[in-house]
Amino acid sequence: MSENILTYFEQIKAQGLSIDITRGKPDSYQLDLANDLLSMNVEPFDGKVDLRNYGEPLGIEDARVLGAELLSAPADHVITGEQSSLMLTYQMILSKYLFANPVPWRDIETPKFICPVPGFDRHFRMLEDFGIEMIAIPLIEDGVDLDALLDALQNNSNVVGIICVPRHSNPSGEVYSDDNINKLFEIGKKYSEDFLFLFDHAYLVHDFLPTKNQIPVWKLAEQNKTTNQTVVVTSFSKVTFGGGGLSFMAAADENLSLIKRIRGSMVICPDKVNQKRHTKFFKDSNAVKNHMKKHADLVRPKFEIAYQALEKLDKDIGEYSRPTGGYFITFTSHKPIASKIVELCKEAGVLLTPAGATHPYGNDPKNNTLRIAPTFINEKELEIAMDVFVTATQIAHSQA
Ligand SMILES: Cc1ncc(COP(=O)(O)O)c(C=O)c1O
């Protein structure tokens, strides 16, 4: 390694930077796109429902219809919740844990879940909360590695489900092919008719470059006769406001009853005023898609800045994803240096998502996967953060 790079790194450190690229959040210009929601008046009573009072535990009708359009599921199979799809997912897992038929997961000896990797740390945390053992299988370009899935199922009993992010997977950006999802259904259904297919469609409408078309997951579930085993969630957290949007879930049969039951113990009804504001803001799913084009124009340049920096890295150091949507770039080093890169970046005042966060139990066996979240900070800060990342990576590689 040249002395120059170490000297340069010392100079960066002396600047006392404080930049956080740990989480995939919209920047304030993106949030501004939905500012009309802040001052939007809604009629409190539409002749049927008083938005201000308790009632409509599954969400107001037009919000359910909007969710149904987005998820391509019948409206009576869709519920609209509060702002967090992660909470709906948690509630679904909790209800399976307590009440699933014929055997609640809590009565199964070491229930297990398939987790495609790299994946989303909060999914792993949630499953860990329930003591559900996680089995990691790799993602490949068009979805999950089906051979690895088959292998995992052949070698494990009591696998109760899989959790997938089928479009712009967090963090590596895979967009599952229809064929991959069809095979997933085929394999899971054969393994057990109680196997749960949990699809977290957090990035359903978050393309920033042309992206391959997908048949909606719910439609594929209908074709495969697996709607009774399928749950799909999405939200407006990165469409309108994080913490102030809406969440949606499509489910059928026992799963629909279970989510109603568990939510009935927790929330008497969701925030219907906010639901009405959103359905006034978005008349239909096309309005959502048009709105997301404006997000795309703000997000795309951030990714381009990140690539300009990453291109400076020699090919033998590692590779990075080039997603067509979503919020993340995944960097994969050839040497086991992910934790060292994070440590060096931290010394220089740039916070990255911890190494290992992309894998169950925080354990990335190759210590080579890192998630970069370029959207939240401004372009100048991003250039600086990426320069730190590239420099830290070069140092970590040469010292390993
Ligand atoms: C895959 C995935 N699911 C869920 C969420 C959180 O969604 P929500 O805000 O609707 O709970 C995120 C946010 O980063 C995510 O990346």
Side-chain angles (χ1 to χ4, degrees):
M1 180 178 40
S2 78
E3 277 304 308
N4 288 348
I5 194 164
L6 287 176
T7 313
Y8 180 57
F9 196 59
E10 288 308 312
Q11 284 164 1
I12 298 177
K13 283 207 278 189
Q15 291 172 27
L17 298 172
S18 174
I19 305 177
D20 185 338
I21 51 169
T22 53
R23 301 234 68 103
K25 295 197 286 192
D27 71 13
S28 54
Y29 295 105
Q30 291 176 260
L31 300 174
D32 284 346
L33 296 172
N35 273 353
D36 284 355
L37 279 171
L38 296 174
S39 53
M40 188 168 273
N41 287 322
V42 290
E43 288 299 322
F45 187 63
D46 69 1
K48 278 193 294 190
V49 175
D50 192 331
L51 300 175
R52 302 162 302 180
N53 214 334
Y54 286 125
E56 304 302 311
L58 309 180
I60 59 172
E61 194 183 339
D62 42 4
R64 295 178 73 191
V65 168
L66 180 61
E69 260 190 61
L70 287 166
L71 296 175
S72 302
D76 58 357
H77 286 40
V78 172
I79 67 169
T80 305
E82 306 71 30
Q83 79 277 11
S84 167
S85 62
L86 203 60
M87 181 153 82
L88 287 179
T89 305
Y90 203 108
Q91 288 168 341
M92 187 75 234
I93 291 178
L94 176 60
S95 70
K96 296 292 255 187
Y97 187 80
L98 294 175
F99 307 122
N101 251 322
V103 189
W105 292 355
R106 66 175 158 168
D107 294 335
I108 295 175
E109 199 188 335
T110 324
K112 305 184 183 81
F113 230 74
I114 304 284
C115 298
V117 291
F120 180 38
D121 50 358
R122 294 195 193 224
H123 288 165
F124 305 144
R125 203 160 112 177
M126 173 161 49
L127 292 164
E128 210 174 344
D129 282 354
F130 289 97
I132 296 174
E133 192 178 304
M134 293 174 271
I135 304 170
I137 61 165
L139 279 167
I140 50 173
E141 214 171 292
D142 71 339
V144 298
D145 180 335
L146 296 165
D147 292 332
L149 174 66
L150 272 170
D151 199 48
L153 294 179
Q154 266 157 18
N155 290 305
N156 286 283
S157 52
N158 299 344
V159 182
V160 293
I162 184 168
I163 188 157
C164 302
V165 182
R167 194 170 182 87
H168 310 306
S169 186
N170 174 354
S172 42
E174 286 82 2
V175 178
Y176 287 40
S177 68
D178 303 334
D179 188 48
N180 193 273
I181 295 178
N182 279 331
K183 298 233 167 68
L184 196 67
F185 280 137
E186 207 177 290
I187 294 168
K189 189 166 77 166
K190 208 162 167 191
Y191 178 79
S192 159
E193 57 188 27
D194 299 315
F195 188 90
L196 181 69
F197 302 97
L198 199 42
F199 291 97
D200 180 346
H201 240 325
Y203 303 105
L204 175 64
V205 288
H206 299 69
D207 306 355
F208 56 74
L209 283 172
T211 300
K212 74 179 173 211
N213 279 330
Q214 292 176 301
I215 298 175
V217 173
W218 194 262
K219 291 274 168 249
L220 292 177
E222 282 172 351
Q223 287 165 19
N224 283 276
K225 301 199 179 355
T226 46
T227 52
N228 61 331
Q229 295 178 249
T230 302
V231 170
V232 191
V233 295
T234 191
S235 81
F236 283 162
S237 291
K238 289 167 185 161
V239 174
T240 58
F241 301 140
L246 305 182
S247 60
F248 305 93
M249 172 181 279
D253 304 304
E254 194 204 37
N255 291 331
L256 187 56
S257 308
L258 285 176
I259 191 76
K260 285 183 196 170
R261 173 173 179 177
I262 203 86
R263 283 177 59 78
S265 310
M266 291 182 177
V267 269
I268 298 178
C269 71
D271 176 352
K272 297 191 289 300
V273 175
N274 194 35
Q275 293 193 352
K276 184 55 96 181
R277 286 204 181 112
H278 274 81
T279 54
K280 222 175 140 184
F281 188 63
F282 294 129
K283 294 269 174 299
D284 54 24
S285 61
N286 276 333
V288 177
K289 285 172 196 156
N290 287 333
H291 182 79
M292 292 312 288
K293 288 185 190 149
K294 297 182 211 155
H295 275 267
D297 290 339
L298 295 170
V299 164
R300 200 182 312 106
K302 301 276 180 81
F303 278 77
E304 280 158 9
I305 289 172
Y307 298 145
Q308 272 163 24
L310 289 165
E311 274 159 15
K312 293 185 195 135
L313 284 171
D314 282 349
K315 298 271 172 293
D316 64 336
I317 296 184
E319 53 221 37
Y320 53 93
S321 61
R322 276 183 173 264
T324 59
Y327 267 70
F328 304 102
I329 296 169
T330 296
F331 177 76
T332 316
S333 60
H334 292 151
K335 290 184 181 174
I337 53 171
S339 44
K340 184 69 190 171
I341 296 170
V342 174
E343 192 185 308
L344 288 171
C345 283
K346 192 172 174 201
E347 279 173 26
V350 172
L351 281 187
L352 287 176
T353 313
T358 52
H359 285 65
Y361 310 106
N363 176 24
D364 169 9
K366 293 187 183 158
N367 186 23
N368 74 346
T369 316
L370 287 175
R371 180 176 97 160
I372 298 168
T375 54
F376 180 58
I377 52 177
N378 67 41
E379 303 194 350
K380 187 74 219 148
E381 278 182 320
L382 180 59
E383 278 170 18
I384 296 168
M386 290 311 300
D387 184 43
V388 171
F389 180 85
V390 164
T391 311
T393 303
Q394 287 165 330
I395 295 172
H397 176 82
S398 61
Q399 289 179 344

